[in-house]
Amino acid sequence: MSAYPPKLAQRFLVRLVPSGIVGESIVGDAHEEYLEQIARVGSMRARLWYWSHVLNIALKYRNRRTTESAGHGGSGTALAGLAQDFRFTWRSLGRSAAFTSVVVGTLGIGIGATTAIFSVVNGVLLKPLPFPESDRLVTVWLQLPGIGLGQMGQARATYFTFRDEQRVLEDIGLWRTNSVTITGLSEPEVVPILQVTDGTLPLLGTQPVLGRRFTASDDTPGTPLTVMLSHGFWQRHYGGDAGAIGQMLALEDTQAEIIGVLPPEFQLMWADPAFVLPLRLDRSRASVGAFNYPVSGWVKWARRAPRTSRFGTSNASSKI
Amino acid sequence: MMSQHLGEFEQVLLLAILQAGDRAHALATIKELDEHAGRRVDRGTVYKTLDRLEAKGLVEWTIEDATPERGGHRRRLFTVTPQGIGALQTSRRTLFSLWEGLEPTLGGAP
């Protein structure tokens, strides 16, 4: 038979009661009563009594501490109140499994829906484009209200017209997604690509991690074809070797010289290409009649000049 | 000085301390309550009420040395202060005054 109360319970009691002689006398009272309980009902029941006694004291002094901190005001009040609210909520939910399931389910659906909506809104509206000074980038669409057509893509003719005549944009670029078959590898592989005019990457502010960007010469029909690899393609097929620059890449019935490697984060809207080729538009084939196919899928990007508003850009484009 | 109004349990606890005399420690007052009022009270309520009575200035305590049967912990011996006595007297006067003339309804004194 132990003359000492359960150690854990006693340690718990010491932590709960006020410090100093007040707490000491309460712990001493408990010890004294514990010995009386042993003599009266035996050790086992005395230990149970001691635990219930500690819980009783814990309940009273926990409430007292909460009340005291509430009386002092300030952050202690708010925290004590918050903790009490949490405890009450937790106990209430614990009483009803069905209600708790409904609450948790409702919260889960609500949080999930909010997160999904925010992801879309953030990606489409709030998050800036991953390009420097992206607020100056504009998309140039065409409208033909006279024949009831709105938001059309560009044609060769409009691209050359805008590039030659406009004065409010720093530069203008045209791009489209496509796919091509690589034939120089062990097995032919169809990969997504991006085709851009020579002004597109500079106006986006994209700098190659290796080599150089396209020049007007690269974008001229009839000149040797050049290609810029995506970072992933360069890593997968060339092991990140800087010696890839200058090598030839076999594309269907032609060869393209590798002139540069794009940064790993490069992505243009939805396009995540294996590599980028120059668009090489033929000025001699540009005509107003070629408005729709095959140029309807082309999207034109431009960068507004500093201190030029979107409204001013639109007005100037309309005049052209 | 105005005497303070006492709650019902505060009143019986003060009386229990007085009944316990010069050995009025917490456990003794609990036994007095059991013997005189037939009330079995939990210890937490007693300690909390003693704290409140002390804060009101109605009780005070002295320290008794530690003993082995208390696990080496000291004990507080409570005494009722003059303010506590005044508060009890006020309570008694109030009760007597309210009881007066109600014997036909409530019966005589036990």
Side-chain angles (χ1 to χ4, degrees):
Chain A
M1 181 170 70
S2 173
Y4 293 97
K7 279 185 180 175
L8 183 62
Q10 190 177 43
R11 207 173 297 152
F12 190 39
L13 179 62
V14 169
R15 287 176 64 91
L16 283 168
V17 295
S19 58
I21 180 62
V22 174
E24 184 183 336
S25 66
I26 293 173
V27 175
D29 288 349
H31 191 105
E32 194 174 336
E33 279 202 282
Y34 173 72
L35 295 183
E36 291 176 13
Q37 289 288 331
I38 289 176
R40 195 183 307 159
V41 296
S43 177
M44 184 60 72
R45 290 180 66 182
R47 292 171 73 83
L48 287 174
W49 172 89
Y50 193 89
W51 269 107
S52 68
H53 175 71
V54 169
L55 290 175
N56 172 259
I57 298 287
L59 194 66
K60 297 296 178 187
Y61 275 91
R62 185 202 65 184
N63 289 340
R64 186 179 69 91
R65 282 177 180 170
T66 304
T67 308
E68 282 175 353
S69 60
H72 289 143
S75 60
T77 306
L79 286 176
L82 193 65
Q84 203 167 25
D85 288 347
F86 270 118
R87 282 195 296 271
F88 175 74
T89 305
W90 188 253
R91 285 199 297 269
S92 299
L93 290 175
R95 289 192 195 104
S96 171
F99 177 69
T100 304
S101 303
V102 172
V103 168
V104 171
T106 305
L107 279 173
I109 291 169
I111 292 169
T114 306
T115 305
I117 291 169
F118 176 77
S119 299
V120 172
V121 171
N122 185 46
V124 175
L125 297 176
L126 304 178
K127 193 176 168 187
L129 294 168
F131 306 113
E133 296 183 270
S134 59
D135 59 318
R136 288 172 53 209
L137 285 173
V138 291
T139 303
V140 183
W141 298 97
L142 295 175
Q143 288 183 316
L144 300 177
I147 56 175
L149 294 176
Q151 209 169 67
M152 294 175 62
Q154 302 291 331
R156 290 185 180 88
T158 57
Y159 165 69
F160 287 118
T161 303
F162 277 121
R163 203 164 194 203
D164 294 344
E165 303 296 332
Q166 64 82 24
R167 296 291 177 268
V168 296
L169 302 172
E170 273 188 13
D171 201 356
I172 195 161
L174 210 58
W175 63 275
R176 71 172 176 180
T177 54
N178 210 335
S179 63
V180 69
T181 303
I182 311 171
T183 54
L185 304 175
S186 55
E187 286 187 8
E189 182 181 348
V190 179
V191 294
I193 66 161
L194 188 68
Q195 289 176 283
V196 299
T197 58
D198 63 288
T200 306
L201 295 180
L203 74 84
L204 294 176
T206 302
Q207 294 287 349
V209 292
L210 199 64
R212 63 174 178 86
R213 289 186 298 217
F214 297 121
T215 61
S217 172
D218 294 313
D219 200 22
T220 303
T223 58
L225 185 61
T226 51
V227 60
M228 291 182 74
L229 304 182
S230 72
H231 198 269
F233 188 87
W234 177 55
Q235 292 287 330
R236 282 195 305 277
H237 293 280
Y238 296 91
D241 181 11
I245 302 298
Q247 290 188 29
M248 302 303 287
L249 182 64
L251 306 171
E252 297 176 357
D253 58 349
T254 187
Q255 298 267 327
E257 181 188 351
I258 300 169
I259 60 164
V261 177
L262 292 160
E265 68 276 8
F266 177 79
Q267 187 172 358
L268 184 55
M269 302 298 282
W270 60 87
D272 190 12
F275 47 81
V276 182
L277 293 172
L279 202 47
R280 295 153 72 93
L281 295 178
D282 190 348
R283 183 182 282 268
S284 65
R285 290 179 58 201
S287 67
V288 179
F291 231 112
N292 300 318
Y293 187 82
V295 292
S296 59
W298 298 0
V299 179
K300 184 177 285 186
W301 277 79
R303 187 177 284 275
R304 287 184 287 124
R307 297 187 297 279
T308 313
S309 69
R310 284 189 176 82
F311 182 70
T313 307
S314 179
N315 273 348
S317 304
S318 300
K319 287 174 185 168
I320 294 171
Chain B
M1 183 172 61
M2 286 181 63
S3 58
Q4 302 192 48
H5 293 286
L6 295 173
E8 191 268 346
F9 190 67
E10 290 176 335
Q11 189 174 324
V12 295
L13 194 57
L14 283 172
L15 291 168
I17 292 170
L18 289 170
Q19 288 288 350
D22 59 357
R23 300 298 303 156
H25 49 81
L27 296 181
T29 57
I30 288 168
K31 284 173 184 163
E32 292 293 338
L33 283 172
D34 190 11
E35 287 175 13
H36 287 88
R39 295 177 68 158
R40 300 185 68 85
V41 293
D42 65 65
R43 278 49 175 167
T45 301
V46 171
Y47 293 128
K48 195 175 168 185
T49 308
L50 285 170
D51 290 344
R52 192 165 61 245
L53 290 172
E54 185 195 356
K56 288 180 175 181
L58 303 180
V59 297
E60 57 191 9
W61 44 262
T62 55
I63 301 172
E64 190 178 69
D65 288 341
T67 56
E69 60 270 18
R70 290 181 55 78
H73 298 101
R74 294 172 294 173
R75 171 153 57 197
R76 287 184 297 167
L77 291 174
F78 292 90
T79 53
V80 179
T81 64
Q83 291 96 319
I85 298 290
L88 281 171
Q89 288 170 339
T90 301
S91 291
R92 188 173 67 165
R93 275 198 301 273
T94 303
L95 282 173
F96 280 178
S97 173
L98 287 169
W99 270 90
E100 201 170 332
L102 293 177
E103 285 80 4
T105 306
L106 299 172

